[in-house]
């Protein structure tokens, strides 16, 4: 298949592109390589993808309709996987405009171009953050959502737009509510890579909410397997799936996996923008895919740390 992946230089975009390239799909990747975190690191991911003959990359900002539209004019695309967005909950307080241009304008541009090109199936990234502070666990896709941060509100609006476009233009739209994804080539602004960095540099690690947060950590290899199965399914109009292992663990539990290492901790109180716990229900996904198994967390986290050390990622981030 010919697949357009926006945000291809990002963590999920890179990982999903690579797994599809291995299966011989042709990938058109788009990214503006912004500096929310190291663009050298993003370039390294693109260099890795360019090892595949059937990968083509365009450095483009999706909020620029003309440029976005121009590069895609002569390209045949079967499926879109839309992952480009300004991520991060706390950064949305500092740079709200980035969330509007990338997550709202960028999303509408992607929809309009897909509509013109008569693309019939679009996957897009939503987020577990749309559930907000709901203490009724596990969170089900049928729950009423109450996002707190601007980031989460842009994701809710994406879901509403997806609903509208799918009905009006008969497009299969699939919203993926990702829960804390981690693994090789992961994001330096997220907890695990901050932990790895503090271990290697022997620096103090600030740990929010005294490490008591529970997060529904989900391994990237499980996510790429899920995506490989999802692209072949048929969907009715707009459907939403929690993408999570449904086995939340606390940050303190993760620290216990690093027995031989001395970790200097500064335990700090909870940031109000962070939700207390995340725990998704994945029955809807399991019903559709039937055979998914999630990797053991302890092993997956230590594998990721080995990769981090071996590839000396520390120097980029
Ligand atoms: N990683 C997670 O745990 C997680 C959880 C929930 C939701 N998500 C969502 O999944 C998607 C991918 O997340 P990620 O972890 O790979 O984040 P990421 O920041 O690593 O990747 C996003 C990519 O999009 C690109 N981008 C941003 N704005 C752009 C623009 N205007 N034009 C072109 N490119 C642009 C960035 O340069 C980046 O490479 C995002 O939509 C994110 O909100 C991720």
């Amino acid at each position: 298949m010919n697949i357009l992946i926006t945000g291809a230089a990002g963590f999920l975009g890179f990982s999903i592109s690579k797994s599809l390239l291995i299966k011989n799909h042709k990938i058109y990747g788009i990214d503006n390589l912004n500096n929310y975190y190291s663009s050298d690191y993003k370039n390294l991911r693109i260099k890795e993808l360019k090892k595949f003959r059937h990968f083509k990359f365009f450095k483009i900002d999706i909020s620029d309709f003309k440029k976005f539209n121009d590069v895609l004019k002569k390209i045949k695309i079967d499926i879109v996987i839309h992952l480009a967005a300004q991520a991060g909950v706390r950064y949305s307080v500092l740079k709200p405009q980035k969330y509007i241009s990338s997550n709202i304008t960028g999303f509408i541009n992607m929809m309009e171009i897909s509509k013109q090109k008569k693309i019939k199936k679009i996957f897009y990234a939503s987020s577990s953050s749309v559930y907000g502070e709901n203490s009724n666990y596990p969170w089900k896709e049928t729950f009423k959502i109450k996002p707190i941060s601007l980031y989460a509100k842009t994701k809710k609006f994406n879901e509403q737009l997806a609903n509208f476009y799918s009905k009006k233009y008969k497009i299969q739209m699939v919203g993926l509510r990702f829960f804390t994804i981690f693994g090789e080539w992961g994001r330096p602004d997220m907890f695990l890579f901050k932990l790895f960095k503090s271990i290697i540099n022997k620096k103090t690690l600030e740990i929010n909410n005294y490490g008591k947060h529970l997060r529904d950590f989900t391994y990237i290899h499980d996510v790429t397997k899920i995506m490989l199965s999802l692209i072949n399914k048929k969907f009715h109009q707009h459907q939403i799936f929690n993408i999570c292992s449904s086995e939340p663990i606390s940050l303190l539990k993760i620290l216990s996996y690093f027995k031989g290492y001395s970790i200097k901790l500064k335990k700090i109180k909870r940031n109000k923008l962070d939700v207390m716990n995340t725990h998704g229900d994945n029955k809807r996904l399991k019903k559709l895919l039937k055979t998914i198994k999630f990797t053991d967390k302890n092993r997956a986290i230590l594998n990721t740390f080995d990769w981090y050390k071996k590839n000396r990622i520390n120097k980029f981030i």
Side-chain angles (χ1 to χ4, degrees):
M1 270 191 277
N2 287 3
I3 305 177
L4 168 68
I5 302 200
T6 67
F11 172 37
L12 300 192
F14 161 81
S15 312
I16 294 168
S17 296
K18 191 169 175 187
S19 67
L20 291 165
L21 285 163
I22 290 169
K23 297 281 180 201
N24 277 322
H25 292 288
K26 179 153 192 160
I27 304 295
Y28 295 97
I30 285 186
D31 204 293
N32 66 354
L33 302 172
N34 69 33
N35 61 359
Y36 168 61
Y37 61 81
S38 166
S39 36
D40 286 346
Y41 184 43
K42 291 181 182 177
N43 271 311
L44 202 66
R45 291 182 180 137
I46 294 298
K47 201 171 149 200
E48 180 76 12
L49 294 178
K50 281 187 175 163
K51 290 179 186 164
F52 293 84
R53 226 176 2 93
H54 35 293
F55 176 72
K56 197 143 179 40
F57 179 66
F58 303 97
K59 182 176 183 290
I60 277 175
D61 194 311
I62 57 162
S63 64
D64 183 334
F65 181 82
K66 188 171 175 337
K67 287 199 181 134
F68 193 4
N69 194 33
D70 283 353
V71 291
L72 294 180
K73 256 182 195 149
K74 293 195 184 112
I75 297 173
K76 181 187 166 292
I77 288 165
D78 302 306
I79 290 184
V80 174
I81 302 180
H82 179 65
L83 302 165
Q86 181 55 59
V89 167
R90 294 178 208 168
Y91 191 63
S92 65
V93 181
L94 300 173
K95 301 273 182 196
Q97 296 88 343
K98 291 194 191 263
Y99 291 77
I100 304 303
S101 64
S102 294
N103 303 12
I104 306 291
T105 308
F107 190 91
I108 297 212
N109 289 346
M110 178 279 297
M111 285 305 321
E112 281 299 313
I113 293 167
S114 303
K115 184 185 92 189
Q116 278 173 29
K117 293 181 77 66
K118 303 203 180 335
I119 291 165
K120 287 287 161 230
K121 201 189 285 180
I122 300 174
F123 296 89
Y124 69 94
S126 182
S127 162
S128 60
S129 62
V130 296
Y131 289 104
E133 206 54 90
N134 188 335
S135 54
N136 190 7
Y137 299 107
W139 293 336
K140 295 192 171 73
E141 291 90 342
T142 47
F143 284 7
K144 195 169 163 48
I145 54 175
K146 295 183 196 136
I148 302 167
S149 66
L150 177 63
Y151 165 68
K153 285 177 193 293
T154 64
K155 294 293 183 181
K156 179 179 177 182
F157 190 44
N158 286 173
E159 292 187 0
Q160 291 169 333
L161 286 170
N163 212 36
F164 167 78
Y165 274 91
S166 75
K167 285 195 178 123
K168 187 151 173 66
Y169 302 107
K170 309 257 173 308
I171 305 172
Q172 298 173 56
M173 296 288 312
V174 185
L176 306 167
R177 288 185 184 159
F178 293 112
F179 284 61
T180 317
I181 315 297
F182 72 93
E184 295 82 350
W185 294 98
R187 264 176 41 201
D189 60 322
M190 292 175 75
F191 172 73
L192 265 193
F193 273 43
K194 286 184 182 164
L195 166 65
F196 298 163
K197 192 173 181 177
S198 80
I199 293 175
I200 303 289
N201 292 353
K202 299 189 173 39
K203 289 262 163 65
T204 303
L205 174 72
E206 283 198 345
I207 187 159
N208 268 309
N209 192 25
Y210 314 99
K212 288 189 287 191
H213 276 356
L214 291 181
R215 289 287 176 267
D216 199 336
F217 283 95
T218 305
Y219 192 31
I220 189 66
H221 288 287
D222 299 331
V223 174
T224 55
K225 278 188 206 144
I226 290 168
M227 288 309 297
L228 284 175
S229 306
L230 281 182
I231 58 164
N232 295 312
K233 298 279 177 201
K234 261 197 165 264
F235 298 89
H236 177 65
Q237 289 190 347
H238 183 215
Q239 289 190 38
I240 289 181
F241 293 91
N242 286 337
I243 306 293
C244 59
S245 63
S246 196
E247 293 159 359
I249 48 173
S250 72
L251 306 189
L252 289 176
K253 175 85 184 161
I254 291 185
L255 295 178
S256 75
Y257 300 157
F258 291 82
K259 282 202 179 67
Y261 297 90
S262 81
I263 304 171
K264 293 186 215 158
L265 287 185
K266 184 178 173 196
K267 294 185 178 173
I268 55 176
K269 66 174 194 223
R270 180 181 157 214
N271 180 315
K272 285 205 179 85
L273 284 175
D274 290 336
V275 296
M276 224 5 238
N277 301 322
T278 68
H279 178 189
D281 176 293
N282 60 15
K283 289 200 188 75
R284 183 181 280 185
L285 184 71
K286 281 185 162 166
K287 191 171 172 209
L288 179 73
L289 300 185
K290 299 202 173 64
T291 54
I292 12 166
K293 281 212 174 72
F294 289 90
T295 315
D296 170 66
K297 294 282 191 308
N298 191 339
R299 184 160 60 86
I301 289 173
L302 293 177
N303 280 351
T304 307
F305 186 46
D306 284 344
W307 173 87
Y308 182 96
K309 285 186 292 184
K310 198 166 137 221
N311 291 282
R312 303 208 286 124
I313 292 305
N314 214 29
K315 63 177 184 269
F316 293 101
I317 52 186

